[in-house]
Amino acid sequence: MSKTDKVSAIVVVILTGVVVYFLTTELRGKGYQLNLALKHLDWRWLVGGLVMMLLSILLEAIATYVMLNKSDRHKTSVIALLRVPLLNLLGTGLTPFATGGQPAQLFGMTRAGVEAGRAMSVILMKFLVYQVVVVVFFIIGYFSAEHFIYGQVDPTFANFIPFAIAIHAVVIIGILLVMFLPALTLKLVDMVAPMFQKMLSRERYDNLLSTVTQKVANFHRESRRVISSWESLVGATVFTVLQLMVFYLIPYFVIRAFGYAQVNPWLIITMNIMIVMVISLFPIPGGVGGAELSFQLLFSPFVKNPATLILVILIWRLITYYFGLFAGIIAYMVPARSVSREERP
């Protein structure tokens, strides 16, 4: 673990402690409400929420698998690629703006037997598919629940929505430029690069520029291959849609566990879509603090019991965030297989 990763981990631990402290402080004096919440608790729904999280991880591994070429598919398997989404959860959960996700996935794919250059291209293509699907989900959810958002949800949260969609749009445009207009992308790099020249030594600056140029060329070549393979692209899109659907459903399972049988599942999914979009604005590892506050603002219309809402927030984060961190650590520690499929007798 690098020094930066250690600092990020410490920040996560400190912020988690602060968040848990404030949330549990809100439970003081609410003994009756807490007993009422626990009285209605149905563990089967919580198990269902955890199953949704596991299914989301599996679907992401399958989405990665279908984007590989035939040669790489032969060398690896979906089971071997399960390390990729787990390390992705660890990388995104420990770095600001989730910047550690791609390097963590690259590490996982190379350990699964995929060559680093092709692995990086697949990761970026998968990231593009993910971003597009997230934005499409957001557009559908936003316009189908716009009245509810501005009528029932705290306006403080609603003000962040345009900034969140703008960030995702910029990311998508950047990837599309590399895919279809590599020459223009390199010109933009040449325009921006001098800003970093004074901060780096001559050798490091030249190496960085050379690496970026090579990465753009490799990504352009591999992205053209993936685009030409409609089977891979459509398959990855379908599995990404399914992955996000089951992930967005997790709060519904947690809320149902506390006896709220009348909640609208589509509204729950829509509110979770809003949270995923907005927490991308917070430059904090895992969005710790921002995610919990966003959840409290968005889901208070559904969960009227304040004590129940605190429990729902804690369990939701335990399933969707902290479970991923611990599972990612285990995936990192488990050694890679030493024999590929083509080498087996």
Side-chain angles (χ1 to χ4, degrees):
M1 182 181 286
S2 67
K3 183 177 180 180
T4 303
D5 293 335
K6 292 178 180 178
V7 171
S8 296
I10 293 172
V11 170
V12 168
V13 171
I14 294 174
L15 289 177
T16 297
V18 172
V19 169
V20 171
Y21 171 77
F22 279 106
L23 288 177
T24 53
T25 299
E26 290 190 32
L27 291 175
R28 293 177 184 173
K30 297 183 175 68
Y32 173 76
Q33 295 175 348
L34 183 59
N35 289 332
L36 190 64
L38 295 175
K39 182 179 179 180
H40 291 91
L41 180 60
D42 186 342
W43 289 97
R44 292 172 296 180
W45 283 100
L46 293 185
V47 172
L50 181 59
V51 170
M52 289 296 103
M53 184 65 190
L54 295 173
L55 183 57
S56 173
I57 292 170
L58 176 61
L59 288 168
E60 184 178 345
I62 297 174
T64 304
Y65 180 79
V66 299
M67 294 197 78
L68 299 175
N69 59 32
K70 292 182 179 180
S71 175
D72 287 329
R73 289 185 194 178
H74 181 70
K75 295 176 183 177
T76 188
S77 66
V78 173
I79 300 301
L81 289 173
L82 278 174
R83 187 193 304 270
V84 177
L86 293 175
L87 289 174
N88 185 31
L89 289 171
L90 178 63
T92 57
L94 285 181
T95 54
F97 294 115
T99 53
Q102 280 71 45
Q105 290 182 75
L106 178 61
F107 177 75
M109 290 187 70
T110 54
R111 295 190 79 178
V114 182
E115 190 271 328
R118 294 194 300 273
M120 193 64 218
S121 298
V122 169
I123 289 168
L124 289 174
M125 286 301 298
K126 187 164 71 76
F127 179 65
L128 174 61
V129 170
Y130 177 85
Q131 290 291 323
V132 171
V133 172
V134 165
V135 170
V136 170
F137 266 124
F138 170 80
I139 293 172
I140 295 173
Y142 178 78
F143 285 106
S144 66
E146 181 181 8
H147 178 73
F148 179 86
I149 293 172
Y150 289 99
Q152 300 293 328
V153 175
D154 192 306
T156 303
F157 182 90
N159 293 333
F160 283 102
I161 293 177
F163 296 102
I165 192 67
I167 287 178
H168 285 267
V170 169
V171 170
I172 291 173
I173 291 171
I175 296 177
L176 289 175
L177 282 175
V178 178
M179 286 173 57
F180 297 107
L181 299 171
L184 176 60
T185 305
L186 291 175
K187 287 183 180 179
L188 293 175
V189 170
D190 290 337
M191 292 172 59
V192 175
M195 296 171 55
F196 299 91
Q197 191 169 10
K198 294 181 179 180
M199 296 184 288
L200 301 172
S201 65
R202 181 67 184 182
E203 182 180 357
R204 292 186 63 185
Y205 175 78
D206 291 340
N207 289 338
L208 177 62
L209 210 57
S210 175
T211 300
V212 170
T213 303
Q214 183 180 3
K215 293 294 183 183
V216 169
N218 290 342
F219 177 57
H220 174 69
R221 182 176 60 254
E222 281 297 308
S223 62
R224 301 302 297 178
R225 177 193 66 78
V226 175
I227 291 174
S228 64
S229 176
W230 283 100
E231 179 185 354
S232 297
L233 198 57
V234 171
T237 302
V238 170
F239 284 114
T240 301
V241 169
L242 294 175
Q243 172 207 343
L244 287 171
M245 281 295 294
V246 298
F247 181 80
Y248 290 144
L249 268 171
I250 293 174
Y252 174 75
F253 280 80
V254 178
I255 292 173
R256 283 297 306 271
F258 287 94
Y260 289 86
Q262 303 303 318
V263 291
N264 185 327
W266 175 245
L267 276 179
I268 297 296
I269 290 174
T270 302
M271 296 304 102
N272 204 9
I273 291 172
M274 300 298 120
I275 291 176
V276 171
M277 290 291 290
V278 170
I279 62 175
S280 63
L281 294 173
F282 295 98
I284 302 170
V288 177
E292 289 81 3
L293 176 61
S294 300
F295 195 99
Q296 191 170 19
L297 293 174
L298 283 176
F299 285 88
S300 55
F302 302 99
V303 183
K304 301 299 183 182
N305 185 338
T308 302
L309 182 59
I310 299 302
L311 293 177
V312 168
I313 293 173
L314 291 172
I315 295 173
W316 166 69
R317 284 295 270 173
L318 182 64
I319 293 175
T320 60
Y321 179 60
Y322 296 101
F323 170 79
L325 288 183
F326 289 114
I329 292 172
I330 293 173
Y332 177 80
M333 295 174 62
V334 172
R337 58 180 189 164
S338 57
V339 181
S340 65
R341 275 199 270 176
E342 64 182 5
E343 295 172 334
R344 294 173 187 167

